[in-house]
Each structure stands twice: as structure tokens, then as C-alpha cells.
């Protein structure tokens, strides 16, 4: 398939399921205990000024990340509600109708998703700077070396955090669905029939993954920090936080650039740091999990076709 078509699809693992995004709709599929699959379809809302921003280099990355965090939180809430109902298994009364998808609830979950992303970025930006300043402020004077040590500390904290949460059963299954999502996208891009046997042959790693984006923010941050001087820890942390939007924007452009070069024999290695991190954030899925991922992807394509036919 063409590059333009392959770029319109994105995915995200959720609790006991997978979300896929097309041009016009997001679809989440969740496996229930009775082996049935439940779907959530959410049409994309077109906002003109947001679409304009998404065409501007540097700004489009920031807008895309915020939009993705908001939408992902909504679908995660849907899967979490289903997961909670399955775990409840009749022990407590369950409401017949889900009131969780009122407009106020959707907006609330979206806001929480965005705030969680911002809070996480603030924590992983400020803490490494504080640790580095405390441990190495008198070891050397070159600020570039301090920036490199800060980046190393940030990578260590990030990898440690992901590793330890991956040991919990829920996160392990989440990462398995993450792997299933990547396998389905790769199989579709390769043009093979989407069935469990074919999909399982593909890797759990993918260049356009958000895990790659996390690594690029660390690397890009080290480079950008080197152009700015600071005086003391407060000035250092404030500077880091002020530069966050720029770092996110540049990192997004770097991710797009490395993805465009993934078929170039030598330059494809630019994307390897992100792929290495994905070895932690993805795990080999079961056939059952791949089946759910395929169902979600096919449902998304069916919804896209319905929307296109309705507009024709």
C-alpha cells in the first residue's frame, strides 16, 4: 500500500483490548469473558483551527500529542469499565445502562488524559535535572556534560519505571495488546491477509510507536538544552519546563523523519533507539489477543467505509 495510506492508521493498547484510529473514526475492541468482543466507535470531530495547527511543523507534534492523550483516555476508560465489570462477575449490582459516555464524562476523561500526560512530562523533566544537580554539580563544570548526565539519568528512570510496572499482570497484558496492535499494522502494511496465523509472523516493534517518541524527547532534549545556559537548580528546572513544548515539537518531527527513512539501509538505524525501548513496552501476544486486535482494525476499516459512502 502507499505511504499516504499507511500513515492514516494509528493504534493504542487498552485494558483487554486495542484501539485503532482512522481518518474519521476511532474504534476500540475489548474481549469479554464470554469470548464475545464489544466495540466502541467514536467519530472524529473536525475542528478547523486544530486541523490548521496540525499542518504547521513543530506545532503539529504538540497538538497531536495532546489530542492523542485526550482520545486515548476516553477509550481507556471504556476498556477499564468493561474490565471492572468482568472482574466484578456478578458480585455487585451492575447498572444496566452505562452512563459513562455522557458529554461531560467524555470531556472529563479527556481532560484527565491530557493533564496526566503533562504531569508525567513535568515529573520526568524536573526530577532528572534535580538528581543530576545534586550528584554532579561539583564533579565538572561543562554544562554539556551535565546535560548528557541528565539525559542518562532520565533514560535510566524511564527504563526502570517501564520495567517495574511491566511486572504487574495488568500492565503485562496491556503490553501484549500493544504488541498485537503493532503486528496487525505491520501485516496490513505488508499487504497480507489479516488472520491470526499471518499476523503472528510479524514483529511487535514498529517505527511509528509512541515509545519511540519518548526516547526522542530525551535525545532531542539533551541537544536543545546545550544551547541555553542556566544558573542554579531553580533556573535549570524552570528552563527545562519552558522548553518542553519545543522539545515535544522537534521530537515529533524527528520521529516522522526517521519513519520516512526506515527503508533506507543505513539511515534506518536512526529509529533504533525507539525500537529498543519497545522491547520493554511490547510483549508477544497470544492468538486470542491478536484476534481482538484484528477485529478492532477491521471494524475501524468498516466504519471508515460507511462514513465515506455516507458522504458520497
Amino acid at each position: 500500500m502507499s505511504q499516504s495510506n499507511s500513515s492514516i492508521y494509528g493504534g493504542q493498547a487498552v485494558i483487554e483490548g486495542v484501539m485503532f484510529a482512522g481518518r474519521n473514526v476511532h474504534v476500540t475492541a475489548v474481549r469479554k469473558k464470554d469470548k464475545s468482543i464489544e466495540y466502541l466507535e467514536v467519530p472524529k470531530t473536525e475542528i478547523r483551527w486544530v486541523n490548521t495547527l496540525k499542518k504547521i511543523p513543530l506545532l503539529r507534534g504538540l497538538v497531536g500529542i495532546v489530542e492523542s492523550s485526550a482520545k486515548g483516555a476516553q477509550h481507556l476508560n471504556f476498556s477499564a469499565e468493561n474490565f471492572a465489570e468482568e472482574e466484578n462477575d456478578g458480585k455487585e449490582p451492575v447498572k444496566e445502562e452505562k452512563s459513562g459516555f455522557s458529554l461531560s464524562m467524555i470531556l472529563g476523561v479527556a481532560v484527565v488524559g491530557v493533564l496526566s500526560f503533562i504531569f508525567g512530562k513535568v515529573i520526568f523533566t524536573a526530577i532528572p535535572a534535580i538528581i543530576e544537580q545534586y550528584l554532579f554539580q561539583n564533579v565538572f563544570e561543562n554544562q554539556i556534560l551535565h546535560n548528557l548526565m541528565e539525559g542518562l539519568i532520565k533514560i535510566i528512570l524511564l527504563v526502570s519505571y517501564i520495567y517495574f510496572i511491566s511486572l504487574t499482570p495488568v500492565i503485562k497484558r496491556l503490553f501484549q495488546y500493544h504488541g498485537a496492535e503493532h503486528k496487525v499494522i505491520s501485516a496490513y502494511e505488508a499487504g497480507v491477509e489479516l488472520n491470526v496465523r499471518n499476523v503472528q509472523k510479524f514483529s511487535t516493534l514498529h517505527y511509528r510507536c509512541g515509545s519511540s517518541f519518548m526516547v526522542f524527547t530525551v535525545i532531542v532534549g539533551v541537544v536543545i538544552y546545550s544551547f541555553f545556559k542556566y544558573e542554579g537548580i531553580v533556573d535549570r528546572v524552570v528552563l527545562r519546563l519552558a522548553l518542553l513544548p519545543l522539545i515535544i515539537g522537534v521530537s515529533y518531527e524527528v520521529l516522522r523523519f526517521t519513519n520516512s527513512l526506515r527503508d533506507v539501509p543505513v539511515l534506518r538505524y536512526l529509529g533504533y533507539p525507539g525500537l529498543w525501548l519497545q522491547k520493554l513496552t511490547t510483549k508477544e501476544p497470544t492468538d486470542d489477543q491478536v484476534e481482538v486486535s484484528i477485529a478492532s482494525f477491521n471494524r475501524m476499516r468498516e466504519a471508515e467505509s460507511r462514513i465515506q459512502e455516507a458522504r458520497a
Side-chain angles (χ1 to χ4, degrees):
M1 62 181 293
S2 68
Q3 177 66 28
S4 60
N5 284 337
S6 66
S7 65
I8 68 173
Y9 298 111
Q12 177 177 319
V14 293
I15 300 174
E16 295 300 331
V18 175
M19 182 271 283
F20 280 104
R23 288 185 183 274
N24 304 290
V25 65
H26 292 74
V27 175
T28 292
V30 177
R31 172 79 76 184
K32 301 179 77 68
K33 277 191 176 179
D34 63 2
K35 301 302 181 181
S36 64
I37 298 177
E38 187 170 345
Y39 299 93
L40 171 67
E41 295 184 15
V42 180
K44 284 187 176 179
T45 303
E46 296 293 331
I47 303 176
R48 184 173 299 178
W49 66 270
V50 172
N51 289 338
T52 300
L53 291 178
K54 288 164 72 173
K55 297 177 182 178
I56 303 174
L58 296 184
L59 282 180
R60 62 189 174 191
L62 188 61
V63 174
I65 291 298
V66 171
E67 186 179 53
S68 177
S69 298
K71 186 64 66 175
Q74 180 184 345
H75 287 263
L76 186 60
N77 179 73
F78 166 74
S79 64
E81 283 191 347
N82 277 275
F83 180 75
E85 288 183 6
E86 295 293 317
E87 289 297 298
N88 184 52
D89 200 23
K91 296 175 183 177
E92 295 180 9
V94 178
K95 295 181 181 179
E96 291 294 326
E97 296 184 2
K98 292 181 183 178
S99 58
F101 295 101
S102 64
L103 178 59
S104 60
M105 176 22 191
I106 290 174
L107 290 176
V109 171
V111 169
V112 169
V114 173
L115 291 178
S116 297
F117 168 76
I118 294 174
F119 179 75
K121 290 303 296 179
V122 168
I123 292 297
F124 274 97
T125 297
I127 289 182
I130 293 172
I131 293 176
E132 198 283 333
Q133 183 83 0
Y134 177 77
L135 294 178
F136 301 102
Q137 60 178 330
N138 298 321
V139 176
F140 35 73
E141 305 216 349
N142 190 308
Q143 286 196 352
I144 293 180
L145 292 178
H146 281 290
N147 293 338
L148 289 173
M149 289 303 302
E150 180 183 338
L152 179 60
I153 291 172
K154 190 176 296 185
I155 288 291
I156 292 173
L157 290 177
L158 179 63
V159 170
S160 299
Y161 171 74
I162 293 174
Y163 171 74
F164 283 112
I165 66 171
S166 71
L167 299 179
T168 64
V170 172
I171 299 301
K172 180 180 178 180
R173 287 187 65 80
L174 185 71
F175 286 174
Q176 285 179 299
Y177 275 109
H178 190 190
E181 168 227 322
H182 284 180
K183 283 174 177 275
V184 169
I185 293 177
S186 295
Y188 179 72
E189 291 176 335
V192 304
E193 181 184 353
L194 294 184
N195 57 53
V196 173
R197 182 178 180 182
N198 287 342
V199 170
Q200 284 285 35
K201 296 176 183 178
F202 288 84
S203 171
T204 61
L205 311 182
H206 197 281
Y207 269 79
R208 290 199 305 272
C209 178
S211 301
S212 300
F213 177 78
M214 289 190 291
V215 174
F216 286 132
T217 59
V218 176
I219 298 173
V220 169
V222 170
V223 175
I224 291 179
Y225 294 157
S226 300
F227 291 95
F228 298 87
K229 292 187 177 295
Y230 56 84
E231 297 292 339
I233 185 61
V234 175
D235 188 34
R236 183 176 185 175
V237 172
V238 170
L239 178 64
R240 273 29 176 184
L241 297 179
L243 290 173
L244 256 181
L246 176 62
I247 291 171
I248 291 174
V250 174
S251 300
Y252 181 81
E253 299 302 325
V254 172
L255 181 62
R256 284 171 57 95
F257 178 67
T258 57
N259 180 61
S260 68
L261 299 175
R262 60 177 172 166
D263 294 324
V264 179
V266 177
L267 298 181
R268 66 180 306 186
Y269 294 109
L270 292 172
Y272 273 33
L275 295 178
W276 292 334
L277 185 61
Q278 287 180 48
K279 290 182 178 295
L280 285 178
T281 63
T282 65
K283 294 187 181 297
E284 282 294 331
T286 64
D287 288 351
D288 183 72
Q289 291 166 332
V290 169
E291 186 180 15
V292 174
S293 190
I294 294 172
S296 178
F297 188 78
N298 286 337
R299 184 68 169 249
M300 181 271 293
R301 294 178 63 197
E302 292 169 4
E304 287 287 330
S305 297
R306 291 198 304 268
I307 293 173
Q308 292 296 337
E309 291 176 0
R311 290 176 177 176

